[in-house]
Amino acid sequence: MSTAELPKTNKHTRLEDAQAVILGTLIIALGVNLFTHAGLLTGGSAGLAFLMQYSTPLSFGQAFFLINLPFYILAIMHFGWEFTIKTFLSVFCLSVFADVTPMLVTFDHVNPIYASVAGGFLMGVGFLMLFRHNASLGGLNILARYLAEKYGISMGKFQMIVDCMIVMLSVFVVDYTLIIISFVGAVALNMIIAVNHKPGRYMGNV
């Protein structure tokens, strides 16, 4: 069958969007659990949530949910209600899954370097699933998507730079050795996005 005869794909169904949000955030929550167990950090809103988790009584899920609240206005203005609702649901799901996962999955020992690479890859894959279904985890993801669509700036490269800056700021909270290892995780996470998510290649509407 020729390319012209191939059936056109329709917009994602609500069921397809729902499974992407649930599976994507479940995968990210597992990566977060690996990072938390090893005492690592990442960038973006998640990185700020890790910092709050390590320095306040808040859990990662609670901190992550609170940090993202101000960004919903920006999301509504630039991307509309559908994206904002999906993003809110994604943030809510990750906040819940991140707190529930340690009750279901525990590790006696995890090598920090393995946790950094594997956790970074897991979170990158989860982010990619959300992006392809017109959703995100709020915060800098919203700004990264805006820059990608408006100016063609790579989401992965932009977030990699910002994430590394946030990890550097954690020097007062986390041991410098873990910060160095966390850089590896930030690179692993954003490499998945940079390689697999290009402006115009797949924006989650087909």
Side-chain angles (χ1 to χ4, degrees), residues 27 69 120 135 139:
I27 293 171
L69 288 178

Side-chain angles (χ1 to χ4, degrees), residues 1 18 25 35 38 64 66 82 111 127 130 173 182 189 201:
M1 185 168 58
T25 51
F35 268 49
F64 186 74
L66 292 174
E82 180 179 352
N111 181 281
F127 274 117
L130 296 179
V173 179
S182 295
L189 189 163
R201 174 183 291 179

Side-chain angles (χ1 to χ4, degrees), residues 37-79:
H37 188 83
L40 302 176
L41 289 156
T42 186
S45 301
L48 296 176
F50 273 123
L51 286 175
M52 290 182 67
Q53 177 189 16
Y54 296 149
S55 59
T56 72
L58 293 175
S59 68
F60 175 89
Q62 294 168 338
F64 186 74
F65 186 82
L66 292 174
I67 289 170
N68 278 282
L69 288 178
F71 290 95
Y72 294 124
I73 297 176
L74 180 63
I76 293 171
M77 291 175 58
H78 289 286
F79 303 114

Side-chain angles (χ1 to χ4, degrees), residues 30-205:
L30 184 56
V32 166
N33 195 37
L34 282 170
F35 268 49
T36 299
H37 188 83
L40 302 176
L41 289 156
T42 186
S45 301
L48 296 176
F50 273 123
L51 286 175
M52 290 182 67
Q53 177 189 16
Y54 296 149
S55 59
T56 72
L58 293 175
S59 68
F60 175 89
Q62 294 168 338
F64 186 74
F65 186 82
L66 292 174
I67 289 170
N68 278 282
L69 288 178
F71 290 95
Y72 294 124
I73 297 176
L74 180 63
I76 293 171
M77 291 175 58
H78 289 286
F79 303 114
W81 280 100
E82 180 179 352
F83 171 79
T84 304
I85 291 173
K86 289 180 183 177
T87 295
F88 177 83
L89 292 174
S90 299
V91 170
F92 176 78
C93 286
L94 179 58
S95 298
V96 173
F97 293 153
D99 286 348
V100 171
T101 299
M103 304 176 190
L104 304 175
V105 179
T106 58
F107 302 95
D108 291 332
H109 171 71
V110 177
N111 181 281
I113 297 177
Y114 173 83
S116 178
V117 175
F121 283 156
L122 284 170
M123 287 189 279
V125 170
F127 274 117
L128 194 64
M129 290 182 68
L130 296 179
F131 293 158
R132 290 187 168 183
H133 284 261
N134 194 31
S136 78
L137 285 177
L140 290 173
N141 289 162
I142 294 175
L143 178 59
R145 175 177 168 175
Y146 173 78
L147 294 175
E149 294 185 6
K150 186 74 173 180
Y151 302 106
I153 297 174
S154 168
M155 293 180 68
K157 293 177 182 178
F158 170 78
Q159 290 189 173
M160 187 181 298
I161 293 172
V162 176
D163 287 357
C164 288
M165 292 175 62
I166 292 176
V167 172
M168 288 178 64
L169 293 175
S170 65
V171 65
F172 300 106
V173 179
V174 179
D175 180 78
Y176 75 93
T177 303
L178 293 177
I179 292 177
I180 295 174
I181 298 174
S182 295
F183 272 113
V184 177
V187 172
L189 189 163
N190 288 290
M191 183 179 71
I192 294 293
I193 299 174
V195 171
N196 294 281
H197 189 82
K198 306 289 186 182
R201 174 183 291 179
Y202 193 135
M203 297 310 295
N205 59 358

